[in-house]
Structures are given as structure tokens and as C-alpha cells.
Amino acid sequence: MHDTSHYDRCRTLMNVHKTHHQKRVIIFSLLALMNMYFSITLPITHNLTLLYGTAAYGLIFGFFSILYSAGILALVFFGTPEKPKLLLLSGLLTILGIILGVVNLLIGICMLIVCISQIPDSKQALWIQKQEGYPYFNERFDEQMQYFGKDYQPDHALDTPHNSEMLDMPEQGAPDFTVSPKDEMPEIPDIPDDIL
């Protein structure tokens, strides 16, 4: 039997990582929504024809910014601590968005801080993945796998339905469901009309 003393710590860290990831997704969602809002309202309210050339181009740029923010948000959502490549990609796309102007500078810096805050969790998650018992860290599951693991072979082969036959059952009499007089229900007494 292998050592399972690290199981509690690993399970606790995995739960902490899950909670941190959920909080990061919520914060990043709010930041992405703010970026989407500013991307649309800024060209409309200020009529930035000097910056974008025409108002129509400003709207197109705003819609592109919305799609870009939604893409980064999707990467952050699926970029759990166990997937550091998605974390790196979301950070790089945020930096590229700041450079291209599709991500507001202040909002982009906050997005980068959210991405950077995941690095310690990702390092711990990579360590957890190398531990024996990953991903369940459950003694009972290990015991089941030891006895009934991948080498399990069923006792009986399964046939296709048209080849299978019903096994003969030993003949036993049908159960008797007759009601004896003592099991009969008692009669319900009459209720006077004045009570109702």
C-alpha cells in the first residue's frame, strides 16, 4: 500500500484552487463587461471621428473589441490552474489588446493582475498532478482500483440481443395473493349529516 498522507493536503489545495478560479472568472467577467461597455459607448458619445476616421468605423472597432474581450474571457473561464498554457495565452492576448487599443489600458492592467494572480495556483496544481493518487486523492477509490482496476474481466460475456437466450428458471408456484377474512378492512361507520 502506498503513502496517502498527502491526500488531505492535495484535496484541500484543489478546493482552494477551484474557489480562486471562480473568483477570478467573476472579476475578469466584470472587467470584460466594462471594457465592452466603454468600447461601444466611447465612439458613440464622443463621436471620435478624429481617432477612428468615421463614426461607423468607431462602431465596427467597438464590436471587434467586444468579440476580443469575449474571447479572452472564454480563455480565462477554461484556463483553470491545471492549464497554464491557457493562462499564458489569455495574458498575451490582453497585452496585445492593450497595444491594439481594443482593451482599455486601465482595464487591461487589471486583467493582467487577475491573470498573474493565478501563477501560484498553477505552480501548485502542476505539483499536485505529479502526486500519487491524482486526481481523486481518495483511499477508497485506490482500493477499488487495486481490486477491480483496468484488468477487470466480466464473468459472463455479453451476447448480442438476437443471440441471447433466456435462462430457464426453476418452476415454482405462483405466489398466493388471496386475502384471508382476518386481513379484510373494517367497515367505515356512517357519518351523520349534521357534522359535515
Side-chain angles (χ1 to χ4, degrees), residues 82-126:
E82 293 83 14
K83 301 173 184 173
K85 291 179 182 176
L86 291 179
L87 166 68
L88 179 64
L89 185 59
S90 62
L92 291 175
L93 286 177
T94 302
I95 293 171
L96 181 64
I98 293 171
I99 293 170
L100 294 175
V102 292
V103 176
N104 182 295
L105 178 64
L106 294 176
I107 294 174
I109 290 171
C110 293
M111 287 177 168
L112 284 174
I113 290 171
V114 171
C115 290
I116 291 170
S117 70
Q118 185 173 326
I119 292 174
D121 286 354
S122 291
K123 287 181 178 179
Q124 287 178 344
L126 292 176

Side-chain angles (χ1 to χ4, degrees), residues 6 37 67 80 91 117 128 132 134-135 142 157 163 173 181 185 187 194:
H6 62 288
Y37 175 76
L67 293 175
T80 58
S117 70
I128 289 171
E132 192 171 355
Y134 178 82
D142 291 346
N163 291 340
M185 291 189 59
E187 289 187 22
D194 59 339

Side-chain angles (χ1 to χ4, degrees), residues 135-150:
Y136 303 108
F137 298 111
N138 186 317
E139 293 87 357
R140 179 83 175 130
F141 179 79
D142 291 346
E143 185 178 309
Q144 292 288 334
M145 287 303 289
Q146 183 180 2
Y147 293 118
F148 308 108
K150 296 176 182 175

Side-chain angles (χ1 to χ4, degrees), residues 34-56:
M34 287 171 53
N35 188 58
M36 292 175 190
Y37 175 76
F38 290 130
S39 298
I40 287 293
T41 58
L42 198 60
I44 293 173
T45 56
H46 296 290
N47 196 8
L48 299 177
T49 55
L50 294 176
L51 183 61
Y52 295 115
T54 64

